[in-house]
Amino acid sequence: MVGAVGLQVLSGVNRRAEEAVTLQRKIAAYRQLQHDTTAQLYSVTSALLVPDAPTLEATVRQLNQFGYDFDRLQFVAKDESSCSPRCARNMTSSSRWLPRSSS
């Protein structure tokens, strides 16, 4: 009887540990997205202030890279659908006006 209770307790602990790992992955994906969004704002601001070719190309590359962060977030946070469709539409619509990088 004590063994069965012990197994139940261990099963619960294992489940909570798996949930903690999943939450840590989601947090990391959201933080990366937040960090890269802030960096992109600075990059776009720089491109608008100094519109030379290297700055514009770097900005376009960085904006195109954002798709990878968004894909990672969608993969990690599959069960959180509140922002995902709206973010996907915004990502798709903004990527249409982005020129492709020459490199």
Side-chain angles (χ1 to χ4, degrees):
M1 183 71 155
V2 173
V5 171
L7 284 176
Q8 283 289 81
V9 170
L10 284 176
S11 174
V13 169
N14 188 35
R15 187 174 43 257
R16 285 189 294 278
E18 288 173 359
E19 289 172 1
V21 168
T22 300
L23 287 174
Q24 287 173 344
R25 287 181 180 151
K26 288 179 185 180
I27 289 169
Y30 278 110
R31 283 186 178 161
Q32 185 67 44
L33 190 67
Q34 180 183 24
H35 174 269
D36 289 350
T37 301
T38 302
Q40 287 173 4
L41 287 172
Y42 285 123
S43 182
V44 168
T45 302
S46 295
L48 292 173
L49 292 173
V50 184
D52 62 348
T55 305
L56 292 173
E57 287 180 10
T59 300
V60 169
R61 275 194 307 275
Q62 191 174 30
L63 290 171
N64 287 330
Q65 185 72 25
F66 182 72
Y68 296 111
D69 294 335
F70 185 72
D71 290 343
R72 177 177 177 231
L73 178 64
Q74 283 186 312
F75 178 77
V76 171
K78 292 176 189 173
D79 56 336
E80 294 184 23
S81 60
S82 63
C83 174
S84 205
R86 186 181 71 223
C87 293
R89 281 193 307 274
N90 290 341
M91 180 69 186
T92 303
S93 66
S94 65
S95 67
R96 278 187 241 139
W97 56 264
L98 282 178
R100 296 292 167 210
S101 177
S102 60
S103 45

